Amino acid sequence: MAHIYIQVTDDDFNVSDEMSKMTKGRSDIGALVSFTGFVRDMHNEKPIKKLTLEHFPLMAEKQLLNIAQKAEERWKVTDITIIHRYGGLYPSDQIVLVLAASAHRKDAFAAGEFMMDWLKTDAPFWKKEQTEQGEDWVQSKSDDINQKNRWT
Amino acid sequence: MAHIYIQVTDDDFNVSDEMSKMTKGRSDIGALVSFTGFVRDMHNEKPIKKLTLEHFPLMAEKQLLNIAQKAEERWKVTDITIIHRYGGLYPSDQIVLVLAASAHRKDAFAAGEFMMDWLKTDAPFWKKEQTEQGEDWVQSKSDDINQKNRWT
Amino acid sequence: MQLIYFARIREIIGVSEEERPLNEQIKTIGDLLDFLSLQDEKYSCAFQDLNAIRIAVNQNYVSFDHKITDQDEIAIFPPMTGG
Amino acid sequence: MQLIYFARIREIIGVSEEERPLNEQIKTIGDLLDFLSLQDEKYSCAFQDLNAIRIAVNQNYVSFDHKITDQDEIAIFPPMTGG
């Protein structure tokens, strides 16, 4: 059984702190893969002023745990951390962190990428962009659905 | 052209510092993937007391840069960092760090995994393990060669 | 049953949640969406493109043929854009 | 030419580098390995399994048929185990 840590928060996170919490005192971990997602200043060629993330609180935690457990079933991972923010964010702000630790690099990379692909389509978060032209909801991408489906 | 930072060192590194150096003041990065490799306390079912990394200094830097440039040619990455340690290391010590930043997650994951696969077979470092039974050189794995060859 | 809306759907309908009694016309999620669409233009507008509607009953994803009970919490929202 | 050895190869040969003059028998890396192996048991032992030998000339990987000059720096080592 992997150690799983899930957090849905409007606070920022510190990648190094989360890594330390996971690896401290451990010598069975050979590989740690992290993914950090940031708000970019451009999306679909429009400059972004702000990004607001709406979420379904109870379900968000449930789904993140669900995704982590799916990853754990498929790959030999010893530890998983998923942190997802909500609320108002600005360009260069951190949005999401996924950590996957394993004895070997292959499992850590695969589990990390698998969880990110699921998050894009199955985690109940919705992004609204604020640009010079006003506000609009970010459309889900068929590309994200294809990315997710390659795991099934 | 991606920003490439290569370091071959006998010092430890701090993942968060390296990430901050890369992302500070940047809002074009949407995705940052990191890989950290650690010394494990077990290898081939033998307890490991110490791991000594020998390297070919001039060539190591040259090959790491070479690997980063290959990744840059294949994927849309904005920034790459590779840090590889040499010298005497102990279980839970960090060995290697690879960072790949991109606008999108797919490029960052692929570039990160590609560079790690190349490092295993093409970076001029050699590991010697110290166990209760004495010292021995770590054998290269045919699995690592297969991993690398899937990119060609 | 408790209805909850998110994101674009919430904005069109104008409330984030409402309580509705189950009635004999409503057996499945599909029936519920049809029933609401006939009640008010807001709903028919919000549910116009069923490809862009996702449903969770008691926080689990379900399809449009899922049977509902009066105790269910039914969340209706557009495709997620997390990560 | 300058010869450099690493890891297991270095340990068997007993030195980490040595200077050797090029001679007419040595045109390629393959010739060099054959020549050294005939000189001394240490070399024939170190180069016994050519599948476990890698070569870099002036810090670039080359194959056994690579032609060498007297100014080359030739590194001989086992398969790498980096990362």
Side-chain angles (χ1 to χ4, degrees), chain A:
Chain A
M1 286 283 285
H3 306 93
I4 296 176
Y5 175 70
I6 303 293
Q7 201 188 352
V8 176
T9 173
D10 58 352
D11 268 343
D12 198 11
F13 52 80
N14 179 292
V15 178
S16 193
D17 289 353
E18 299 305 324
M19 286 185 172
S20 298
K21 276 187 224 165
M22 181 180 275
T23 60
K24 202 177 175 187
R26 297 279 296 281
S27 48
D28 59 326
I29 295 175
L32 171 57
V33 167
S34 81
F35 178 92
T36 315
F38 299 89
V39 181
R40 285 192 300 137
D41 54 8
M42 293 287 280
H43 188 223
N44 297 333
E45 292 163 33
K46 290 181 314 238
I48 302 302
K49 293 166 69 176
K50 186 181 178 182
L51 190 71
T52 306
L53 274 107
E54 180 170 334
H55 78 306
F56 182 177
L58 264 181
M59 188 174 175
E61 298 223 8
K62 205 166 163 175
Q63 276 299 312
L64 297 189
L65 182 60
N66 191 359
I67 289 163
Q69 286 168 337
K70 279 199 166 69
E72 182 196 4
E73 280 165 28
R74 289 180 78 126
W75 291 282
K76 285 187 193 146
V77 286
T78 56
D79 304 76
I80 290 171
T81 291
I82 306 178
I83 300 178
H84 205 306
R85 293 177 71 185
Y86 61 87
L89 300 175
Y90 297 88
S92 89
D93 279 354
Q94 302 185 125
I95 307 174
V96 61
L97 176 69
V98 166
L99 303 181
S102 174
H104 304 288
R105 75 186 185 287
K106 218 175 146 175
D107 292 281
F109 269 112
E113 193 165 11
F114 169 83
M115 289 189 284
M116 278 310 303
D117 286 349
W118 273 82
L119 276 177
K120 290 274 169 186
T121 56
D122 283 50
F125 291 84
W126 298 272
K127 290 180 182 138
K128 191 174 204 174
E129 286 174 349
Q130 194 180 314
T131 65
E132 292 289 345
Q133 286 74 45
E135 288 196 330
D136 206 2
W137 293 99
V138 174
Q139 297 291 308
S140 68
K141 286 183 277 183
S142 59
D143 191 47
D144 283 333
I145 294 167
N146 295 338
Q147 275 292 109
K148 181 197 134 190
N149 287 343
R150 95 202 141 101
W151 299 105
T152 52

Side-chain angles (χ1 to χ4, degrees), chain D residues 9-55:
Chain D
I9 305 288
R10 175 182 53 73
E11 289 185 341
I12 296 170
I13 294 174
V15 295
S16 59
E17 51 184 282
E18 59 181 319
E19 190 68 37
R20 289 254 180 183
L22 195 62
N23 67 43
E24 58 206 15
Q25 297 167 61
I26 308 173
K27 301 266 188 295
T28 66
I29 294 293
D31 297 338
L32 172 65
L33 299 180
D34 289 344
F35 177 83
L36 292 170
S37 296
L38 289 172
Q39 302 282 299
D40 192 310
E41 281 297 327
K42 291 182 304 189
Y43 296 94
S44 64
C45 171
F47 306 154
Q48 199 175 326
D49 177 9
L50 289 181
N51 287 320
I53 299 288
R54 300 289 181 272
I55 307 289

Side-chain angles (χ1 to χ4, degrees), chain B residues 3 22 26 36 40 50 57 73 84 96 103 107 132:
Chain B
H3 306 93
M22 181 180 276
R26 297 279 297 278
T36 315
R40 286 192 299 138
K50 187 181 178 183
E73 280 165 29
H84 204 306
V96 63
D107 291 282
E132 292 289 346

Side-chain angles (χ1 to χ4, degrees), chain B residues 60-123:
Chain B
E61 298 223 6
K62 204 166 162 174
Q63 276 298 110
L64 297 188
L65 181 59
N66 191 359
I67 289 162
Q69 285 168 338
K70 278 198 166 67
E72 182 196 3
E73 280 165 29
R74 288 179 79 125
W75 291 282
K76 285 188 192 147
V77 285
T78 56
D79 305 76
I80 290 172
T81 292
I82 306 178
I83 300 177
H84 204 306
R85 292 177 73 185
Y86 61 87
L89 301 174
Y90 297 88
S92 89
D93 279 354
Q94 302 185 127
I95 307 174
V96 63
L97 176 68
V98 165
L99 303 181
S102 176
H104 303 288
R105 74 187 185 287
K106 217 174 147 179
D107 291 282
F109 270 113
E113 194 166 10
F114 169 83
M115 289 190 283
M116 279 310 303
D117 285 351
W118 273 83
L119 277 177
K120 289 275 171 186
T121 56
D122 283 52

